[in-house]
Amino acid sequence: MRELSERGVLQGTPGAYISTAVAAEVTVPATLQATIAARIDRLDPQAKRTLSAAAVVGSRFGANLLTELGVEPVVDDLLSAQLIDQVTFTGNPEYVFHHPLTRAVAYESQLKSDRAERHRRAATAIEAGDPPSADENAALIAEHLEAAGDLQAAFDWHMRAGAWSLFRDIAAALTSWQRRSR
């Protein structure tokens, strides 16, 4: 419904839409992913860049990390389009994707090389952002490095994550150590 409303096929408000087009002239994307991709394509370029960078960061993200990735965050357009939701409002606002499929479409629509570079930058930013918490964030840093294709560095961070988790959560430590064998 949002997609049709954004295209001007429907007018009104949720629950009270009226069609402004002849039904035979209306086209609908074949899949839900194509519908989401069409909505993303209509975004302002800066909002689209924000959404792409956020998709690399993860399902939950803050504006500060997006800035560290070299993206000036434009979240108002994404909030009004209901592509993301704000979950914390004080201090450093945090956001989540409205639906996991939105994140998946935004993530997969990027060039692999761009995505890898953003993962690399995210790992660096997380590590540099709070050096005393690097061990606590080691698993997240390892995942970003692995997604960037830097397997040696990812291995080292997985080992660090396992060591940090050892006395806190033995199952998490075991998971980190087993990731090295992939």
mmCIF file of all heavy atoms in Angstrom, residues 99-149:
data_model
loop_
_atom_site.group_PDB
_atom_site.id
_atom_site.type_symbol
_atom_site.label_atom_id
_atom_site.label_comp_id
_atom_site.label_asym_id
_atom_site.label_seq_id
_atom_site.Cartn_x
_atom_site.Cartn_y
_atom_site.Cartn_z
ATOM 1 N N HIS A 99 11.584 -3.617 9.130
ATOM 2 C CA HIS A 99 11.396 -5.031 8.829
ATOM 3 C C HIS A 99 12.737 -5.615 8.381
ATOM 4 O O HIS A 99 13.474 -4.956 7.641
ATOM 5 C CB HIS A 99 10.350 -5.211 7.721
ATOM 6 C CG HIS A 99 9.882 -6.618 7.588
ATOM 7 N ND1 HIS A 99 10.591 -7.570 6.878
ATOM 8 C CD2 HIS A 99 8.793 -7.244 8.084
ATOM 9 C CE1 HIS A 99 9.946 -8.721 6.941
ATOM 10 N NE2 HIS A 99 8.860 -8.558 7.661
ATOM 11 N N PRO A 100 13.068 -6.846 8.788
ATOM 12 C CA PRO A 100 14.351 -7.439 8.382
ATOM 13 C C PRO A 100 14.527 -7.530 6.865
ATOM 14 O O PRO A 100 15.644 -7.450 6.364
ATOM 15 C CB PRO A 100 14.315 -8.840 9.005
ATOM 16 C CG PRO A 100 13.293 -8.783 10.079
ATOM 17 C CD PRO A 100 12.317 -7.712 9.693
ATOM 18 N N LEU A 101 13.446 -7.676 6.141
ATOM 19 C CA LEU A 101 13.542 -7.768 4.682
ATOM 20 C C LEU A 101 14.009 -6.446 4.074
ATOM 21 O O LEU A 101 14.715 -6.437 3.064
ATOM 22 C CB LEU A 101 12.192 -8.197 4.092
ATOM 23 C CG LEU A 101 12.192 -8.761 2.691
ATOM 24 C CD1 LEU A 101 13.226 -9.875 2.517
ATOM 25 C CD2 LEU A 101 10.817 -9.278 2.328
ATOM 26 N N THR A 102 13.659 -5.341 4.699
ATOM 27 C CA THR A 102 14.130 -4.035 4.226
ATOM 28 C C THR A 102 15.643 -3.978 4.316
ATOM 29 O O THR A 102 16.328 -3.547 3.378
ATOM 30 C CB THR A 102 13.510 -2.894 5.055
ATOM 31 O OG1 THR A 102 12.089 -2.987 4.984
ATOM 32 C CG2 THR A 102 13.971 -1.535 4.555
ATOM 33 N N ARG A 103 16.184 -4.434 5.441
ATOM 34 C CA ARG A 103 17.643 -4.457 5.602
ATOM 35 C C ARG A 103 18.272 -5.382 4.555
ATOM 36 O O ARG A 103 19.279 -5.051 3.941
ATOM 37 C CB ARG A 103 18.030 -4.920 6.995
ATOM 38 C CG ARG A 103 19.538 -5.006 7.137
ATOM 39 C CD ARG A 103 19.997 -5.463 8.499
ATOM 40 N NE ARG A 103 21.456 -5.552 8.493
ATOM 41 C CZ ARG A 103 22.131 -6.634 8.839
ATOM 42 N NH1 ARG A 103 21.508 -7.716 9.252
ATOM 43 N NH2 ARG A 103 23.444 -6.635 8.794
ATOM 44 N N ALA A 104 17.687 -6.561 4.349
ATOM 45 C CA ALA A 104 18.241 -7.525 3.399
ATOM 46 C C ALA A 104 18.278 -6.949 1.983
ATOM 47 O O ALA A 104 19.281 -7.096 1.274
ATOM 48 C CB ALA A 104 17.437 -8.817 3.430
ATOM 49 N N VAL A 105 17.215 -6.280 1.575
ATOM 50 C CA VAL A 105 17.172 -5.702 0.226
ATOM 51 C C VAL A 105 18.202 -4.579 0.106
ATOM 52 O O VAL A 105 18.933 -4.503 -0.887
ATOM 53 C CB VAL A 105 15.750 -5.196 -0.118
ATOM 54 C CG1 VAL A 105 15.743 -4.394 -1.413
ATOM 55 C CG2 VAL A 105 14.783 -6.376 -0.219
ATOM 56 N N ALA A 106 18.291 -3.717 1.112
ATOM 57 C CA ALA A 106 19.270 -2.619 1.088
ATOM 58 C C ALA A 106 20.695 -3.172 1.080
ATOM 59 O O ALA A 106 21.578 -2.637 0.393
ATOM 60 C CB ALA A 106 19.058 -1.694 2.277
ATOM 61 N N TYR A 107 20.930 -4.240 1.810
ATOM 62 C CA TYR A 107 22.265 -4.849 1.885
ATOM 63 C C TYR A 107 22.648 -5.489 0.551
ATOM 64 O O TYR A 107 23.732 -5.254 0.024
ATOM 65 C CB TYR A 107 22.278 -5.895 3.003
ATOM 66 C CG TYR A 107 23.631 -6.498 3.276
ATOM 67 C CD1 TYR A 107 24.527 -5.855 4.124
ATOM 68 C CD2 TYR A 107 24.010 -7.708 2.713
ATOM 69 C CE1 TYR A 107 25.779 -6.401 4.394
ATOM 70 C CE2 TYR A 107 25.252 -8.264 2.967
ATOM 71 C CZ TYR A 107 26.124 -7.615 3.810
ATOM 72 O OH TYR A 107 27.365 -8.155 4.065
ATOM 73 N N GLU A 108 21.760 -6.291 0.001
ATOM 74 C CA GLU A 108 22.054 -7.033 -1.227
ATOM 75 C C GLU A 108 22.117 -6.146 -2.465
ATOM 76 O O GLU A 108 22.701 -6.541 -3.467
ATOM 77 C CB GLU A 108 21.021 -8.142 -1.442
ATOM 78 C CG GLU A 108 21.099 -9.256 -0.418
ATOM 79 C CD GLU A 108 22.437 -9.990 -0.423
ATOM 80 O OE1 GLU A 108 23.059 -10.122 -1.494
ATOM 81 O OE2 GLU A 108 22.866 -10.414 0.666
ATOM 82 N N SER A 109 21.551 -4.958 -2.400
ATOM 83 C CA SER A 109 21.559 -4.081 -3.575
ATOM 84 C C SER A 109 22.886 -3.351 -3.759
ATOM 85 O O SER A 109 23.101 -2.698 -4.776
ATOM 86 C CB SER A 109 20.420 -3.057 -3.473
ATOM 87 O OG SER A 109 20.674 -2.141 -2.424
ATOM 88 N N GLN A 110 23.803 -3.482 -2.807
ATOM 89 C CA GLN A 110 25.097 -2.803 -2.882
ATOM 90 C C GLN A 110 26.113 -3.642 -3.647
ATOM 91 O O GLN A 110 26.058 -4.868 -3.631
ATOM 92 C CB GLN A 110 25.637 -2.562 -1.470
ATOM 93 C CG GLN A 110 24.749 -1.694 -0.619
ATOM 94 C CD GLN A 110 25.275 -1.588 0.788
ATOM 95 O OE1 GLN A 110 26.399 -1.137 0.992
ATOM 96 N NE2 GLN A 110 24.467 -1.986 1.754
ATOM 97 N N LEU A 111 27.051 -2.967 -4.264
ATOM 98 C CA LEU A 111 28.166 -3.678 -4.878
ATOM 99 C C LEU A 111 28.951 -4.373 -3.774
ATOM 100 O O LEU A 111 29.131 -3.814 -2.686
ATOM 101 C CB LEU A 111 29.093 -2.706 -5.604
ATOM 102 C CG LEU A 111 28.541 -2.014 -6.841
ATOM 103 C CD1 LEU A 111 29.529 -0.978 -7.341
ATOM 104 C CD2 LEU A 111 28.234 -3.034 -7.924
ATOM 105 N N LYS A 112 29.427 -5.578 -4.040
ATOM 106 C CA LYS A 112 30.174 -6.324 -3.023
ATOM 107 C C LYS A 112 31.401 -5.561 -2.554
ATOM 108 O O LYS A 112 31.736 -5.582 -1.378
ATOM 109 C CB LYS A 112 30.567 -7.702 -3.553
ATOM 110 C CG LYS A 112 29.407 -8.648 -3.654
ATOM 111 C CD LYS A 112 29.845 -10.021 -4.129
ATOM 112 C CE LYS A 112 28.640 -10.938 -4.233
ATOM 113 N NZ LYS A 112 29.028 -12.283 -4.635
ATOM 114 N N SER A 113 32.068 -4.882 -3.460
ATOM 115 C CA SER A 113 33.273 -4.134 -3.078
ATOM 116 C C SER A 113 32.930 -2.971 -2.148
ATOM 117 O O SER A 113 33.654 -2.715 -1.180
ATOM 118 C CB SER A 113 34.005 -3.622 -4.321
ATOM 119 O OG SER A 113 33.160 -2.777 -5.085
ATOM 120 N N ASP A 114 31.825 -2.272 -2.412
ATOM 121 C CA ASP A 114 31.392 -1.180 -1.523
ATOM 122 C C ASP A 114 31.006 -1.720 -0.153
ATOM 123 O O ASP A 114 31.347 -1.145 0.882
ATOM 124 C CB ASP A 114 30.201 -0.435 -2.121
ATOM 125 C CG ASP A 114 30.552 0.358 -3.366
ATOM 126 O OD1 ASP A 114 31.767 0.567 -3.626
ATOM 127 O OD2 ASP A 114 29.617 0.765 -4.090
ATOM 128 N N ARG A 115 30.295 -2.836 -0.175
ATOM 129 C CA ARG A 115 29.857 -3.463 1.076
ATOM 130 C C ARG A 115 31.055 -3.901 1.902
ATOM 131 O O ARG A 115 31.106 -3.681 3.117
ATOM 132 C CB ARG A 115 28.967 -4.658 0.717
ATOM 133 C CG ARG A 115 27.909 -4.945 1.693
ATOM 134 C CD ARG A 115 26.910 -5.963 1.206
ATOM 135 N NE ARG A 115 27.466 -7.108 0.543
ATOM 136 C CZ ARG A 115 26.867 -7.772 -0.432
ATOM 137 N NH1 ARG A 115 25.691 -7.389 -0.868
ATOM 138 N NH2 ARG A 115 27.418 -8.822 -0.969
ATOM 139 N N ALA A 116 32.043 -4.514 1.259
ATOM 140 C CA ALA A 116 33.246 -4.975 1.966
ATOM 141 C C ALA A 116 33.982 -3.801 2.594
ATOM 142 O O ALA A 116 34.432 -3.885 3.746
ATOM 143 C CB ALA A 116 34.157 -5.742 1.016
ATOM 144 N N GLU A 117 34.097 -2.710 1.841
ATOM 145 C CA GLU A 117 34.777 -1.522 2.382
ATOM 146 C C GLU A 117 34.019 -0.958 3.583
ATOM 147 O O GLU A 117 34.627 -0.555 4.578
ATOM 148 C CB GLU A 117 34.928 -0.454 1.294
ATOM 149 C CG GLU A 117 35.627 0.803 1.763
ATOM 150 C CD GLU A 117 37.014 0.567 2.346
ATOM 151 O OE1 GLU A 117 37.701 -0.380 1.932
ATOM 152 O OE2 GLU A 117 37.410 1.342 3.243
ATOM 153 N N ARG A 118 32.707 -0.946 3.518
ATOM 154 C CA ARG A 118 31.917 -0.456 4.662
ATOM 155 C C ARG A 118 32.076 -1.378 5.869
ATOM 156 O O ARG A 118 32.141 -0.910 7.006
ATOM 157 C CB ARG A 118 30.454 -0.312 4.275
ATOM 158 C CG ARG A 118 30.194 0.914 3.434
ATOM 159 C CD ARG A 118 28.723 1.151 3.200
ATOM 160 N NE ARG A 118 28.528 2.410 2.523
ATOM 161 C CZ ARG A 118 27.663 2.586 1.540
ATOM 162 N NH1 ARG A 118 26.901 1.592 1.127
ATOM 163 N NH2 ARG A 118 27.541 3.769 0.975
ATOM 164 N N HIS A 119 32.125 -2.679 5.639
ATOM 165 C CA HIS A 119 32.357 -3.613 6.753
ATOM 166 C C HIS A 119 33.727 -3.357 7.385
ATOM 167 O O HIS A 119 33.854 -3.354 8.614
ATOM 168 C CB HIS A 119 32.276 -5.067 6.279
ATOM 169 C CG HIS A 119 30.889 -5.616 6.207
ATOM 170 N ND1 HIS A 119 30.099 -5.795 7.322
ATOM 171 C CD2 HIS A 119 30.147 -6.039 5.154
ATOM 172 C CE1 HIS A 119 28.936 -6.304 6.962
ATOM 173 N NE2 HIS A 119 28.941 -6.456 5.650
ATOM 174 N N ARG A 120 34.721 -3.144 6.559
ATOM 175 C CA ARG A 120 36.076 -2.869 7.054
ATOM 176 C C ARG A 120 36.080 -1.594 7.897
ATOM 177 O O ARG A 120 36.635 -1.543 8.985
ATOM 178 C CB ARG A 120 37.034 -2.748 5.863
ATOM 179 C CG ARG A 120 38.485 -2.909 6.203
ATOM 180 C CD ARG A 120 39.360 -3.001 4.945
ATOM 181 N NE ARG A 120 39.172 -4.292 4.260
ATOM 182 C CZ ARG A 120 38.507 -4.475 3.115
ATOM 183 N NH1 ARG A 120 37.977 -3.467 2.487
ATOM 184 N NH2 ARG A 120 38.385 -5.670 2.578
ATOM 185 N N ARG A 121 35.426 -0.549 7.381
ATOM 186 C CA ARG A 121 35.344 0.719 8.112
ATOM 187 C C ARG A 121 34.560 0.565 9.413
ATOM 188 O O ARG A 121 34.904 1.170 10.427
ATOM 189 C CB ARG A 121 34.677 1.793 7.254
ATOM 190 C CG ARG A 121 35.560 2.363 6.202
ATOM 191 C CD ARG A 121 34.806 3.432 5.453
ATOM 192 N NE ARG A 121 35.693 4.227 4.652
ATOM 193 C CZ ARG A 121 35.313 5.291 3.996
ATOM 194 N NH1 ARG A 121 34.051 5.686 4.052
ATOM 195 N NH2 ARG A 121 36.173 5.972 3.272
ATOM 196 N N ALA A 122 33.502 -0.241 9.382
ATOM 197 C CA ALA A 122 32.702 -0.457 10.594
ATOM 198 C C ALA A 122 33.543 -1.131 11.667
ATOM 199 O O ALA A 122 33.504 -0.737 12.842
ATOM 200 C CB ALA A 122 31.454 -1.288 10.283
ATOM 201 N N ALA A 123 34.316 -2.140 11.289
ATOM 202 C CA ALA A 123 35.173 -2.828 12.254
ATOM 203 C C ALA A 123 36.166 -1.852 12.879
ATOM 204 O O ALA A 123 36.352 -1.830 14.103
ATOM 205 C CB ALA A 123 35.916 -3.979 11.573
ATOM 206 N N THR A 124 36.778 -1.029 12.044
ATOM 207 C CA THR A 124 37.747 -0.041 12.524
ATOM 208 C C THR A 124 37.073 0.973 13.445
ATOM 209 O O THR A 124 37.610 1.324 14.501
ATOM 210 C CB THR A 124 38.419 0.681 11.335
ATOM 211 O OG1 THR A 124 39.061 -0.302 10.522
ATOM 212 C CG2 THR A 124 39.421 1.711 11.791
ATOM 213 N N ALA A 125 35.895 1.447 13.056
ATOM 214 C CA ALA A 125 35.181 2.447 13.852
ATOM 215 C C ALA A 125 34.744 1.880 15.197
ATOM 216 O O ALA A 125 34.816 2.569 16.221
ATOM 217 C CB ALA A 125 33.973 2.969 13.078
ATOM 218 N N ILE A 126 34.283 0.650 15.228
ATOM 219 C CA ILE A 126 33.850 0.030 16.491
ATOM 220 C C ILE A 126 35.047 -0.135 17.421
ATOM 221 O O ILE A 126 34.970 0.161 18.608
ATOM 222 C CB ILE A 126 33.144 -1.315 16.229
ATOM 223 C CG1 ILE A 126 31.818 -1.075 15.504
ATOM 224 C CG2 ILE A 126 32.921 -2.071 17.533
ATOM 225 C CD1 ILE A 126 31.199 -2.323 14.905
ATOM 226 N N GLU A 127 36.164 -0.561 16.859
ATOM 227 C CA GLU A 127 37.371 -0.740 17.668
ATOM 228 C C GLU A 127 37.879 0.602 18.193
ATOM 229 O O GLU A 127 38.204 0.733 19.381
ATOM 230 C CB GLU A 127 38.468 -1.415 16.845
ATOM 231 C CG GLU A 127 39.754 -1.619 17.611
ATOM 232 C CD GLU A 127 40.867 -2.209 16.757
ATOM 233 O OE1 GLU A 127 40.668 -2.412 15.542
ATOM 234 O OE2 GLU A 127 41.941 -2.471 17.322
ATOM 235 N N ALA A 128 37.933 1.606 17.337
ATOM 236 C CA ALA A 128 38.482 2.912 17.721
ATOM 237 C C ALA A 128 37.511 3.727 18.571
ATOM 238 O O ALA A 128 37.938 4.560 19.360
ATOM 239 C CB ALA A 128 38.855 3.702 16.474
ATOM 240 N N GLY A 129 36.209 3.463 18.407
ATOM 241 C CA GLY A 129 35.206 4.258 19.106
ATOM 242 C C GLY A 129 35.254 4.131 20.609
ATOM 243 O O GLY A 129 34.966 5.092 21.331
ATOM 244 N N ASP A 130 35.601 2.983 21.114
ATOM 245 C CA ASP A 130 35.660 2.757 22.562
ATOM 246 C C ASP A 130 36.718 1.688 22.830
ATOM 247 O O ASP A 130 36.385 0.531 23.095
ATOM 248 C CB ASP A 130 34.288 2.317 23.075
ATOM 249 C CG ASP A 130 34.206 2.275 24.586
ATOM 250 O OD1 ASP A 130 35.153 2.736 25.261
ATOM 251 O OD2 ASP A 130 33.187 1.785 25.105
ATOM 252 N N PRO A 131 38.011 2.072 22.767
ATOM 253 C CA PRO A 131 39.094 1.082 22.907
ATOM 254 C C PRO A 131 38.986 0.193 24.156
ATOM 255 O O PRO A 131 39.254 -1.003 24.059
ATOM 256 C CB PRO A 131 40.365 1.937 22.931
ATOM 257 C CG PRO A 131 39.996 3.154 22.164
ATOM 258 C CD PRO A 131 38.545 3.408 22.489
ATOM 259 N N PRO A 132 38.565 0.714 25.319
ATOM 260 C CA PRO A 132 38.453 -0.179 26.474
ATOM 261 C C PRO A 132 37.400 -1.292 26.289
ATOM 262 O O PRO A 132 37.457 -2.317 26.949
ATOM 263 C CB PRO A 132 38.058 0.746 27.628
ATOM 264 C CG PRO A 132 38.497 2.112 27.204
ATOM 265 C CD PRO A 132 38.358 2.118 25.704
ATOM 266 N N SER A 133 36.448 -1.074 25.382
ATOM 267 C CA SER A 133 35.400 -2.074 25.139
ATOM 268 C C SER A 133 35.695 -2.950 23.929
ATOM 269 O O SER A 133 34.819 -3.692 23.481
ATOM 270 C CB SER A 133 34.050 -1.381 24.937
ATOM 271 O OG SER A 133 33.661 -0.701 26.102
ATOM 272 N N ALA A 134 36.902 -2.871 23.403
ATOM 273 C CA ALA A 134 37.240 -3.645 22.201
ATOM 274 C C ALA A 134 37.038 -5.141 22.421
ATOM 275 O O ALA A 134 36.509 -5.828 21.546
ATOM 276 C CB ALA A 134 38.662 -3.346 21.752
ATOM 277 N N ASP A 135 37.450 -5.643 23.592
ATOM 278 C CA ASP A 135 37.265 -7.078 23.843
ATOM 279 C C ASP A 135 35.786 -7.441 23.899
ATOM 280 O O ASP A 135 35.371 -8.484 23.383
ATOM 281 C CB ASP A 135 37.959 -7.487 25.144
ATOM 282 C CG ASP A 135 39.469 -7.535 25.003
ATOM 283 O OD1 ASP A 135 39.952 -7.636 23.858
ATOM 284 O OD2 ASP A 135 40.156 -7.468 26.032
ATOM 285 N N GLU A 136 34.995 -6.588 24.502
ATOM 286 C CA GLU A 136 33.557 -6.832 24.592
ATOM 287 C C GLU A 136 32.912 -6.830 23.207
ATOM 288 O O GLU A 136 31.957 -7.558 22.960
ATOM 289 C CB GLU A 136 32.924 -5.751 25.474
ATOM 290 C CG GLU A 136 31.461 -5.953 25.740
ATOM 291 C CD GLU A 136 30.908 -4.892 26.689
ATOM 292 O OE1 GLU A 136 31.697 -4.204 27.359
ATOM 293 O OE2 GLU A 136 29.673 -4.768 26.744
ATOM 294 N N ASN A 137 33.432 -6.017 22.304
ATOM 295 C CA ASN A 137 32.909 -5.912 20.937
ATOM 296 C C ASN A 137 33.655 -6.790 19.943
ATOM 297 O O ASN A 137 33.432 -6.694 18.732
ATOM 298 C CB ASN A 137 32.976 -4.453 20.468
ATOM 299 C CG ASN A 137 32.030 -3.567 21.233
ATOM 300 O OD1 ASN A 137 30.901 -3.942 21.495
ATOM 301 N ND2 ASN A 137 32.494 -2.383 21.605
ATOM 302 N N ALA A 138 34.536 -7.653 20.430
ATOM 303 C CA ALA A 138 35.393 -8.445 19.552
ATOM 304 C C ALA A 138 34.607 -9.313 18.566
ATOM 305 O O ALA A 138 34.988 -9.420 17.395
ATOM 306 C CB ALA A 138 36.348 -9.308 20.381
ATOM 307 N N ALA A 139 33.524 -9.920 19.009
ATOM 308 C CA ALA A 139 32.741 -10.782 18.110
ATOM 309 C C ALA A 139 32.135 -9.967 16.975
ATOM 310 O O ALA A 139 32.130 -10.402 15.810
ATOM 311 C CB ALA A 139 31.651 -11.514 18.885
ATOM 312 N N LEU A 140 31.645 -8.766 17.282
ATOM 313 C CA LEU A 140 31.064 -7.896 16.260
ATOM 314 C C LEU A 140 32.136 -7.425 15.276
ATOM 315 O O LEU A 140 31.926 -7.425 14.056
ATOM 316 C CB LEU A 140 30.386 -6.699 16.930
ATOM 317 C CG LEU A 140 29.718 -5.681 16.015
ATOM 318 C CD1 LEU A 140 28.637 -6.334 15.168
ATOM 319 C CD2 LEU A 140 29.133 -4.549 16.854
ATOM 320 N N ILE A 141 33.294 -7.058 15.800
ATOM 321 C CA ILE A 141 34.409 -6.645 14.941
ATOM 322 C C ILE A 141 34.811 -7.801 14.033
ATOM 323 O O ILE A 141 35.022 -7.621 12.826
ATOM 324 C CB ILE A 141 35.595 -6.153 15.799
ATOM 325 C CG1 ILE A 141 35.207 -4.857 16.532
ATOM 326 C CG2 ILE A 141 36.842 -5.949 14.940
ATOM 327 C CD1 ILE A 141 36.184 -4.446 17.620
ATOM 328 N N ALA A 142 34.876 -9.004 14.590
ATOM 329 C CA ALA A 142 35.232 -10.193 13.798
ATOM 330 C C ALA A 142 34.231 -10.433 12.676
ATOM 331 O O ALA A 142 34.619 -10.742 11.536
ATOM 332 C CB ALA A 142 35.314 -11.419 14.705
ATOM 333 N N GLU A 143 32.939 -10.283 12.959
ATOM 334 C CA GLU A 143 31.920 -10.496 11.930
ATOM 335 C C GLU A 143 32.074 -9.493 10.792
ATOM 336 O O GLU A 143 31.937 -9.849 9.619
ATOM 337 C CB GLU A 143 30.529 -10.400 12.542
ATOM 338 C CG GLU A 143 30.178 -11.594 13.407
ATOM 339 C CD GLU A 143 28.835 -11.447 14.096
ATOM 340 O OE1 GLU A 143 28.005 -10.628 13.644
ATOM 341 O OE2 GLU A 143 28.619 -12.157 15.091
ATOM 342 N N HIS A 144 32.348 -8.227 11.133
ATOM 343 C CA HIS A 144 32.537 -7.217 10.092
ATOM 344 C C HIS A 144 33.780 -7.516 9.258
ATOM 345 O O HIS A 144 33.752 -7.390 8.029
ATOM 346 C CB HIS A 144 32.620 -5.815 10.702
ATOM 347 C CG HIS A 144 31.284 -5.236 11.030
ATOM 348 N ND1 HIS A 144 30.350 -4.907 10.071
ATOM 349 C CD2 HIS A 144 30.723 -4.918 12.224
ATOM 350 C CE1 HIS A 144 29.270 -4.420 10.648
ATOM 351 N NE2 HIS A 144 29.474 -4.421 11.957
ATOM 352 N N LEU A 145 34.856 -7.920 9.914
ATOM 353 C CA LEU A 145 36.081 -8.241 9.172
ATOM 354 C C LEU A 145 35.889 -9.476 8.285
ATOM 355 O O LEU A 145 36.389 -9.525 7.160
ATOM 356 C CB LEU A 145 37.250 -8.448 10.141
ATOM 357 C CG LEU A 145 37.742 -7.170 10.818
ATOM 358 C CD1 LEU A 145 38.712 -7.495 11.940
ATOM 359 C CD2 LEU A 145 38.376 -6.231 9.796
ATOM 360 N N GLU A 146 35.153 -10.441 8.786
ATOM 361 C CA GLU A 146 34.863 -11.639 7.987
ATOM 362 C C GLU A 146 34.045 -11.269 6.751
ATOM 363 O O GLU A 146 34.333 -11.717 5.648
ATOM 364 C CB GLU A 146 34.118 -12.658 8.851
ATOM 365 C CG GLU A 146 34.022 -14.026 8.249
ATOM 366 C CD GLU A 146 33.461 -15.046 9.231
ATOM 367 O OE1 GLU A 146 33.777 -14.989 10.438
ATOM 368 O OE2 GLU A 146 32.692 -15.904 8.768
ATOM 369 N N ALA A 147 33.033 -10.417 6.940
ATOM 370 C CA ALA A 147 32.206 -9.979 5.816
ATOM 371 C C ALA A 147 33.005 -9.129 4.830
ATOM 372 O O ALA A 147 32.695 -9.099 3.634
ATOM 373 C CB ALA A 147 31.000 -9.202 6.318
ATOM 374 N N ALA A 148 34.058 -8.466 5.321
ATOM 375 C CA ALA A 148 34.920 -7.661 4.452
ATOM 376 C C ALA A 148 35.915 -8.529 3.688
ATOM 377 O O ALA A 148 36.595 -8.053 2.787
ATOM 378 C CB ALA A 148 35.679 -6.621 5.281
ATOM 379 N N GLY A 149 36.015 -9.804 4.061
ATOM 380 C CA GLY A 149 36.937 -10.707 3.389
ATOM 381 C C GLY A 149 38.310 -10.750 4.023
ATOM 382 O O GLY A 149 39.212 -11.406 3.500
#
